[in-house]
Amino acid sequence: MYHRRIQDWDDAYTNGAYIPGGDRWPDTFWAAPAKAYRDARVAAGKAKLGLDYGPGERNRFDLFLPDGESKGLVVVIHGGYWMKFDQSYWSNLARGAVERGYTVAMPTYTLCPQNRIAGITKEIGQAIEKIAGMVDGSIRITGHSAGGHLATRMVCTNSPLSEAVRGRIRNVVSLSGLHDLRPLMRAAMNDTLKIDDAEAKAESPLFLEPIAGIPVTFWVGGTERSEFIRQSKLLANAWIGVGGATAYVEEPDRHHFNIIDGLADPAHPLTRTLLAD
């Protein structure tokens, strides 16, 4: 039985202070290996960087190509609470799918407060539409934290994606995603995000319904903050109740910063789940 009441919402959604050596992210454990992988794929002629999907300065994406014929498209959406980072921090996460024969796209987007979360949803929709026109085959979508929110928004019934693109989506994996935006209204970050009650309800997948027939896996680390675990369990259960096909995976000994690492390994269960037919 649960009786715990959260008193400090800023603390509830803080990660680095609760991860040993948390200050080594993002530079040492994200940006450095991302650059090394990106440079290697550019040298091999298997990367296209800074392609545009819209007129905004941050309406850009990077594309990583397999060595052989492409089997399809994987879209990886970055996190950062919709207000930090860009696609360059995650390039090495393309490795798992690329080595399995897929083209991997990593878009970025206009951050808050220059944008609203609803606007970011539209931008990611525009990005996927553009990329889907460039890459044939089935589509898989994954995202981390705020990117997990955006990944699941793409397969809500009011998704910004066209029917044609929706029909190509085979799997979605939300990594430590944020699916109910209301708690964030109580945190200091909302000074930047500007979430109000109307947007929280309109943009939270919890209050929306999933597109039928697209499997969605909610993947979270076993040592994450309890709010991230709760958020993943919450939508996994809620969407089953409205006809969705969901799975929940709690990976042992993973926290919010390294839960994404499996995407860099072609044999990791995370990569296998994302690419499953």
Side-chain angles (χ1 to χ4, degrees), residues 223-277:
T223 62
E224 295 224 38
R225 307 302 311 284
S226 61
E227 272 296 277
F228 287 92
I229 293 173
R230 185 186 68 82
Q231 288 255 2
S232 290
K233 287 181 176 179
L234 182 67
L235 193 58
N237 282 318
W239 272 10
I240 287 175
V242 289
T246 73
Y248 173 80
V249 177
E250 197 168 301
E251 186 176 354
D253 302 319
R254 293 283 182 172
H255 53 66
H256 193 72
F257 289 169
N258 66 11
I259 190 64
I260 57 179
D261 291 355
L263 291 175
D265 179 357
H268 194 279
L270 175 56
T271 301
R272 296 204 307 267
T273 297
L274 181 62
L275 301 183
D277 291 321

XYZ file of all heavy atoms in Angstrom, residues 223-277:
430
model
N 17.781 0.924 -10.831
C 18.253 1.811 -9.769
C 17.894 3.272 -10.039
O 18.505 4.177 -9.468
C 19.776 1.687 -9.591
O 20.451 2.095 -10.789
C 20.169 0.256 -9.267
N 16.911 3.499 -10.897
C 16.477 4.872 -11.190
C 15.727 5.480 -10.014
O 15.260 4.787 -9.112
C 15.570 4.870 -12.421
C 16.291 4.435 -13.676
C 15.973 5.315 -14.857
O 15.839 6.549 -14.684
O 15.875 4.761 -15.954
N 15.560 6.793 -10.061
C 14.692 7.465 -9.108
C 13.284 6.907 -9.240
O 12.823 6.573 -10.331
C 14.665 8.982 -9.347
C 16.007 9.676 -9.395
C 16.827 9.487 -8.108
N 16.119 9.743 -6.871
C 15.816 10.956 -6.387
N 16.188 12.048 -7.051
N 15.193 11.095 -5.246
N 12.576 6.850 -8.153
C 11.272 6.183 -8.139
C 10.265 6.829 -9.079
O 9.382 6.145 -9.617
C 10.714 6.155 -6.718
O 10.532 7.473 -6.213
N 10.388 8.122 -9.323
C 9.436 8.774 -10.213
C 9.560 8.281 -11.651
O 8.564 8.170 -12.366
C 9.602 10.296 -10.174
C 8.790 10.983 -9.113
C 7.296 10.816 -9.340
O 6.709 11.573 -10.136
O 6.693 9.913 -8.723
N 10.778 7.985 -12.096
C 10.937 7.486 -13.457
C 10.403 6.065 -13.591
O 9.809 5.707 -14.608
C 12.406 7.573 -13.877
C 12.855 8.983 -14.141
C 13.415 9.741 -13.127
C 12.675 9.561 -15.383
C 13.816 11.052 -13.359
C 13.074 10.878 -15.614
C 13.640 11.619 -14.605
N 10.610 5.260 -12.564
C 10.029 3.916 -12.563
C 8.510 4.009 -12.566
O 7.826 3.317 -13.331
C 10.554 3.112 -11.365
C 12.056 2.839 -11.539
C 9.777 1.818 -11.186
C 12.716 2.193 -10.347
N 7.966 4.874 -11.724
C 6.510 5.033 -11.659
C 5.943 5.500 -12.997
O 4.913 5.001 -13.458
C 6.142 6.033 -10.555
C 4.641 6.183 -10.324
C 4.338 7.291 -9.335
N 4.668 8.607 -9.867
C 3.865 9.303 -10.695
N 2.713 8.799 -11.082
N 4.232 10.493 -11.109
N 6.615 6.455 -13.632
C 6.120 6.981 -14.900
C 6.070 5.895 -15.976
O 5.141 5.854 -16.791
C 7.003 8.145 -15.359
C 6.842 9.422 -14.561
C 6.054 10.482 -15.313
O 5.579 10.269 -16.418
N 5.917 11.646 -14.707
N 7.067 5.016 -15.992
C 7.079 3.947 -16.988
C 5.998 2.912 -16.710
O 5.281 2.475 -17.623
C 8.459 3.279 -17.031
O 9.414 4.145 -17.588
N 5.879 2.497 -15.445
C 4.825 1.545 -15.092
C 3.443 2.121 -15.377
O 2.526 1.417 -15.811
C 4.929 1.172 -13.612
C 6.086 0.262 -13.261
C 6.065 -0.061 -11.775
C 7.155 -1.053 -11.405
N 7.146 -1.342 -9.941
N 3.302 3.413 -15.117
C 2.013 4.080 -15.250
C 1.453 3.949 -16.655
O 0.317 3.501 -16.849
C 2.186 5.557 -14.886
C 0.947 6.449 -14.905
C -0.010 6.037 -13.811
C 1.365 7.917 -14.722
N 2.247 4.324 -17.664
C 1.715 4.295 -19.022
C 1.628 2.877 -19.563
O 0.707 2.559 -20.333
C 2.551 5.171 -19.956
C 1.888 5.446 -21.313
C 0.533 6.110 -21.153
C 2.784 6.295 -22.197
N 2.561 2.017 -19.164
C 2.474 0.620 -19.590
C 1.139 0.014 -19.172
O 0.493 -0.702 -19.950
C 3.637 -0.187 -19.013
N 0.703 0.315 -17.962
C -0.572 -0.199 -17.476
C -1.756 0.535 -18.084
O -2.755 -0.076 -18.466
C -0.624 -0.093 -15.947
C 0.164 -1.190 -15.276
O 0.111 -2.339 -15.675
N 0.909 -0.850 -14.242
N -1.667 1.854 -18.172
C -2.791 2.643 -18.673
C -3.124 2.290 -20.112
O -4.308 2.185 -20.476
C -2.484 4.134 -18.546
N -2.107 2.111 -20.933
C -2.384 1.846 -22.351
C -2.918 0.441 -22.593
O -3.674 0.220 -23.544
C -1.131 2.121 -23.176
C -1.061 3.565 -23.600
C -1.857 4.583 -23.156
C -0.155 4.154 -24.541
N -1.506 5.767 -23.771
C -0.474 5.535 -24.620
C 0.881 3.647 -25.297
C 0.225 6.405 -25.452
C 1.586 4.519 -26.129
C 1.252 5.884 -26.214
N -2.590 -0.510 -21.736
C -3.225 -1.827 -21.847
C -4.736 -1.686 -21.683
O -5.522 -2.330 -22.376
C -2.659 -2.799 -20.792
C -1.233 -3.222 -21.180
C -3.539 -4.047 -20.670
C -0.554 -4.085 -20.153
N -5.140 -0.785 -20.793
C -6.557 -0.606 -20.509
C -7.352 0.020 -21.635
O -8.589 0.022 -21.596
N -6.669 0.567 -22.637
C -7.390 1.150 -23.780
C -6.977 0.449 -25.078
O -7.021 1.030 -26.160
C -7.164 2.672 -23.881
C -7.889 3.387 -22.757
C -5.671 3.027 -23.872
N -6.568 -0.821 -24.945
C -6.325 -1.632 -26.123
C -4.924 -1.628 -26.671
O -4.669 -2.185 -27.741
N -3.986 -1.020 -25.955
C -2.611 -0.986 -26.434
C -1.879 -2.292 -26.187
O -2.314 -3.133 -25.394
N -0.758 -2.452 -26.885
C 0.115 -3.617 -26.698
C 1.405 -3.113 -26.071
O 2.232 -2.501 -26.752
C 0.396 -4.303 -28.031
N 1.576 -3.342 -24.767
C 2.724 -2.783 -24.062
C 3.500 -3.855 -23.308
O 2.962 -4.914 -22.976
C 2.307 -1.684 -23.060
O 1.666 -2.279 -21.935
C 1.377 -0.664 -23.706
N 4.764 -3.541 -23.054
C 5.610 -4.363 -22.192
C 6.390 -3.429 -21.284
O 6.669 -2.280 -21.644
C 6.565 -5.221 -23.030
N 6.731 -3.923 -20.111
C 7.511 -3.151 -19.141
C 8.755 -3.948 -18.787
O 8.675 -5.131 -18.439
C 6.679 -2.883 -17.882
C 7.463 -2.243 -16.754
C 7.716 -0.877 -16.748
C 7.959 -3.021 -15.703
C 8.449 -0.292 -15.717
C 8.681 -2.445 -14.669
C 8.923 -1.082 -14.684
O 9.649 -0.513 -13.667
N 9.927 -3.308 -18.916
C 11.201 -3.957 -18.603
C 11.962 -3.083 -17.618
O 12.172 -1.895 -17.864
C 12.059 -4.172 -19.868
C 13.411 -4.780 -19.489
C 11.335 -5.048 -20.874
N 12.382 -3.672 -16.519
C 13.205 -2.982 -15.531
C 14.585 -3.640 -15.552
O 14.748 -4.750 -15.052
C 12.551 -3.077 -14.154
C 13.069 -2.089 -13.147
C 12.188 -2.032 -11.901
O 10.986 -1.733 -12.030
O 12.730 -2.295 -10.801
N 15.543 -2.970 -16.168
C 16.874 -3.562 -16.341
C 17.694 -3.387 -15.071
O 17.938 -2.259 -14.624
C 17.591 -2.918 -17.526
C 18.916 -3.584 -17.863
C 19.581 -3.020 -19.096
O 18.979 -2.174 -19.789
O 20.729 -3.420 -19.366
N 18.168 -4.487 -14.483
C 18.906 -4.392 -13.214
C 20.188 -3.581 -13.362
O 20.820 -3.558 -14.429
C 19.220 -5.857 -12.890
C 18.268 -6.663 -13.700
C 18.002 -5.874 -14.939
N 20.550 -2.922 -12.269
C 21.846 -2.233 -12.161
C 22.036 -1.144 -13.203
O 23.171 -0.805 -13.564
C 23.005 -3.238 -12.248
C 22.918 -4.311 -11.164
O 22.576 -3.963 -10.017
O 23.169 -5.490 -11.470
N 20.960 -0.564 -13.674
C 21.041 0.564 -14.603
C 20.369 1.775 -13.970
O 19.346 1.653 -13.289
C 20.352 0.235 -15.924
C 21.049 -0.843 -16.732
C 22.274 -0.316 -17.421
N 22.921 -1.337 -18.235
C 23.921 -1.109 -19.067
N 24.391 0.123 -19.197
N 24.470 -2.081 -19.753
N 20.966 2.949 -14.206
C 20.381 4.193 -13.711
C 19.977 5.068 -14.895
O 20.106 4.663 -16.065
C 21.353 4.899 -12.759
C 22.725 5.127 -13.318
N 22.966 5.974 -14.382
C 23.942 4.620 -12.947
C 24.256 5.996 -14.647
N 24.879 5.182 -13.796
N 19.535 6.267 -14.603
C 18.961 7.121 -15.644
C 19.969 7.515 -16.708
O 19.587 7.778 -17.852
C 18.367 8.384 -15.003
C 17.502 9.171 -15.928
N 16.253 8.743 -16.331
C 17.699 10.369 -16.547
C 15.720 9.630 -17.141
N 16.579 10.620 -17.301
N 21.243 7.555 -16.370
C 22.240 7.998 -17.342
C 22.801 6.867 -18.197
O 23.263 7.109 -19.302
C 23.393 8.713 -16.628
C 23.039 10.063 -16.067
C 23.904 10.706 -15.209
C 21.842 10.699 -16.391
C 23.600 11.964 -14.685
C 21.517 11.939 -15.865
C 22.404 12.574 -15.006
N 22.812 5.632 -17.684
C 23.367 4.546 -18.500
C 22.320 3.574 -19.026
O 22.673 2.577 -19.671
C 24.477 3.797 -17.744
C 23.983 3.048 -16.521
O 22.793 2.885 -16.307
N 24.924 2.579 -15.701
N 21.050 3.850 -18.799
C 19.996 2.976 -19.319
C 20.020 2.933 -20.843
O 19.582 1.973 -21.468
C 18.606 3.426 -18.798
C 17.536 2.398 -19.129
C 18.217 4.792 -19.343
C 17.727 1.063 -18.459
N 20.572 3.970 -21.472
C 20.602 4.059 -22.934
C 21.742 3.263 -23.552
O 21.739 3.028 -24.770
C 20.722 5.526 -23.392
C 21.964 6.187 -22.781
C 19.470 6.303 -23.011
C 22.171 7.642 -23.209
N 22.706 2.812 -22.765
C 23.929 2.246 -23.311
C 23.688 1.002 -24.168
O 24.463 0.717 -25.092
C 24.913 1.904 -22.193
C 25.486 3.142 -21.513
O 25.191 4.265 -21.965
O 26.220 2.981 -20.513
N 22.647 0.262 -23.869
C 22.360 -0.952 -24.629
C 22.148 -0.710 -26.108
O 22.373 -1.608 -26.934
N 21.734 0.498 -26.472
C 21.510 0.800 -27.884
C 22.799 0.752 -28.693
O 22.764 0.580 -29.917
C 20.866 2.184 -28.040
C 19.422 2.326 -27.563
C 18.982 3.786 -27.679
C 18.487 1.424 -28.358
N 23.938 0.897 -28.045
C 25.228 0.866 -28.740
C 25.709 -0.556 -29.004
O 26.732 -0.740 -29.677
C 26.271 1.631 -27.936
N 24.999 -1.553 -28.498
C 25.419 -2.950 -28.602
C 24.410 -3.715 -29.458
O 23.245 -3.855 -29.080
C 25.492 -3.553 -27.197
C 25.903 -5.011 -27.187
O 26.083 -5.612 -28.267
O 26.030 -5.565 -26.080
N 24.832 -4.241 -30.614
C 23.880 -4.941 -31.486
C 23.287 -6.197 -30.870
O 22.216 -6.656 -31.312
C 24.711 -5.275 -32.729
C 26.132 -5.215 -32.291
C 26.183 -4.177 -31.204
N 23.946 -6.758 -29.838
C 23.456 -7.984 -29.220
C 22.671 -7.740 -27.938
O 22.120 -8.681 -27.359
C 24.636 -8.911 -28.915
N 22.604 -6.498 -27.485
C 21.932 -6.211 -26.218
C 20.421 -6.430 -26.342
O 19.828 -6.152 -27.396
C 22.209 -4.758 -25.808
C 21.851 -4.455 -24.395
N 20.560 -4.171 -23.994
C 22.611 -4.394 -23.265
C 20.542 -3.941 -22.704
N 21.776 -4.074 -22.235
N 19.767 -6.900 -25.287
C 18.319 -7.100 -25.342
C 17.539 -5.847 -25.719
O 16.467 -5.950 -26.333
C 17.978 -7.564 -23.919
C 19.226 -8.215 -23.430
C 20.356 -7.421 -24.024
N 18.042 -4.672 -25.350
C 17.370 -3.433 -25.723
C 17.346 -3.265 -27.233
O 16.294 -2.956 -27.827
C 18.067 -2.256 -25.051
C 17.581 -0.845 -25.426
C 16.092 -0.678 -25.192
C 18.386 0.200 -24.641
N 18.487 -3.463 -27.872
C 18.544 -3.358 -29.330
C 17.687 -4.434 -29.985
O 16.959 -4.165 -30.946
C 20.000 -3.471 -29.817
O 20.773 -2.429 -29.228
C 20.089 -3.369 -31.322
N 17.736 -5.647 -29.454
C 16.930 -6.728 -30.023
C 15.440 -6.433 -29.898
O 14.663 -6.720 -30.810
C 17.271 -8.056 -29.340
C 18.715 -8.512 -29.566
C 18.837 -10.035 -29.390
N 18.294 -10.479 -28.113
C 19.024 -10.626 -27.003
N 20.314 -10.309 -27.005
N 18.462 -11.054 -25.903
N 15.034 -5.851 -28.783
C 13.623 -5.505 -28.595
C 13.194 -4.434 -29.599
O 12.129 -4.547 -30.216
C 13.391 -5.010 -27.159
O 13.681 -6.065 -26.243
C 11.956 -4.545 -26.949
N 14.003 -3.420 -29.759
C 13.681 -2.339 -30.682
C 13.559 -2.832 -32.117
O 12.687 -2.375 -32.872
C 14.752 -1.249 -30.582
C 14.595 -0.010 -31.464
C 13.314 0.740 -31.121
C 15.813 0.893 -31.323
N 14.410 -3.779 -32.507
C 14.455 -4.229 -33.897
C 13.609 -5.476 -34.162
O 13.578 -5.962 -35.300
C 15.901 -4.512 -34.300
C 16.877 -3.334 -34.177
C 18.257 -3.723 -34.665
C 16.374 -2.104 -34.936
N 12.921 -5.962 -33.150
C 12.133 -7.185 -33.322
C 11.036 -6.986 -34.370
O 10.449 -5.907 -34.485
C 11.534 -7.598 -31.986
N 10.742 -8.044 -35.096
C 9.653 -8.011 -36.078
C 8.337 -8.414 -35.430
O 8.326 -9.098 -34.420
C 9.966 -8.960 -37.237
C 11.138 -8.438 -38.078
O 11.214 -7.220 -38.288
O 11.950 -9.282 -38.497
